[in-house]
Amino acid sequence: MEEQTARRIYFVRHASPEIEAGIYYGGGTALPLSYDGTLQARALGAKIGINPTNIYTSTMLRARQTAELMFPSRKESIREAEGLQEIFMGEWECKTFDEVRSKWKETFEIPGKEFADCCCPGGETFRQVQTRAVNALEKLLEETEGDLLVVFHGGVIWTLLCHYFDFNLNKVFFYPMQYCSVCELEKNQYGMRLVRFNWTPELASTGGGWTK
């Protein structure tokens, strides 16, 4: 059996978006980056120290802006991939936690309902997000060669980690990812290996630099 060459895959969560104070649910909304977000993206681009063969983003504005700020000289070669957008929250989009809790109280109180299968009215479940995200990533891996960097969304990244490393999808928010953090994976002949989780430029300044 021919030995496969290992590939590096980088999942980058987008930088901080411009969002109104108090708004909690905004996954499917086209939010631009905030001023702080632009600084975060530039800082990550300066610190990450890699020049991946392939750069992709989700179809959402904040992901595209993050990638372009990270790799300004490669704007023309950055491509978008369908299926990697953040979870769509349906009628909860752009609502505060208190608004949702008071209006859709029953959604939070379904006996025996697993979190991964809970769905806001008109929205998606995290299990549905996982299905489309896995299909999208596998398609990218089939269509590209060399290292792959994808800028997309915390919820979607977590569903992929759950799939490849058998983590519990019901605990999607137990392992938070910071804005502009990086998860590094290696794909080899045996499968996927998680190399880093939630790496940020701040770690580089405290001795946790990006090293091979």
Side-chain angles (χ1 to χ4, degrees):
M1 181 177 177
E2 184 179 349
E3 185 174 343
Q4 297 180 354
T5 303
R7 299 180 66 180
R8 293 284 167 156
I9 304 166
Y10 306 93
F11 293 165
V12 179
R13 188 185 182 193
H14 62 81
S16 175
E18 189 70 59
I19 192 166
E20 292 182 31
I23 297 298
Y24 190 83
Y25 301 100
T29 303
L31 301 169
L33 294 185
S34 65
Y35 173 73
D36 286 345
T38 63
L39 299 181
Q40 292 166 358
R42 290 192 180 106
L44 180 57
K47 294 285 188 180
I48 196 171
I50 59 172
N51 189 29
T53 310
N54 309 279
I55 304 174
Y56 279 80
T57 75
S58 78
T59 56
M60 304 194 79
L61 177 61
R62 55 191 182 271
R64 179 81 193 193
Q65 289 179 330
T66 299
E68 291 182 349
L69 288 167
M70 287 179 64
F71 301 99
S73 65
R74 296 186 58 183
K75 286 184 180 181
E76 299 303 317
S77 65
I78 296 172
R79 302 178 65 183
E80 294 182 356
E82 297 286 345
L84 296 175
Q85 67 272 20
E86 185 58 290
I87 186 170
F88 179 58
M89 306 300 288
E91 294 181 31
W92 294 9
E93 285 287 326
C94 294
K95 299 288 194 301
T96 66
F97 181 81
D98 288 341
E99 285 177 312
V100 169
R101 187 79 183 187
S102 61
K103 187 172 181 180
W104 291 280
K105 184 179 179 181
E106 67 283 353
T107 304
F108 291 87
E109 298 177 350
I110 302 174
K113 188 77 169 180
E114 290 195 324
F115 177 79
D117 296 308
C118 286
C119 184
C120 19
E124 297 179 282
T125 69
F126 275 101
R127 205 172 301 279
Q128 290 170 330
V129 172
Q130 183 183 60
T131 298
R132 64 168 165 81
V134 170
N135 290 338
L137 182 65
E138 289 296 323
K139 185 172 185 289
L140 286 183
L141 291 172
E142 289 177 5
E143 295 177 349
T144 61
E145 297 180 351
D147 293 347
L148 171 66
L149 183 143
V150 188
V151 182
F152 49 140
H153 310 274
V156 187
I157 292 172
W158 180 246
T159 68
L160 288 171
L161 295 178
C162 288
H163 171 77
Y164 289 109
F165 303 109
D166 200 26
F167 299 154
N168 189 340
L169 190 58
N170 291 302
K171 297 184 177 180
V172 65
F173 292 121
F174 281 61
Y175 304 91
M177 280 172 271
Q178 294 175 259
Y179 287 123
C180 260
S181 63
V182 183
C183 295
E184 180 183 5
L185 292 72
E186 179 186 85
K187 186 178 189 297
N188 55 42
Q189 60 184 326
Y190 304 108
M192 290 284 198
R193 181 172 74 94
L194 183 58
V195 180
R196 284 184 184 82
F197 174 79
N198 200 34
W199 183 91
T200 65
E202 288 77 12
L203 291 177
S205 63
T206 58
W210 193 270
T211 56
K212 292 293 184 183

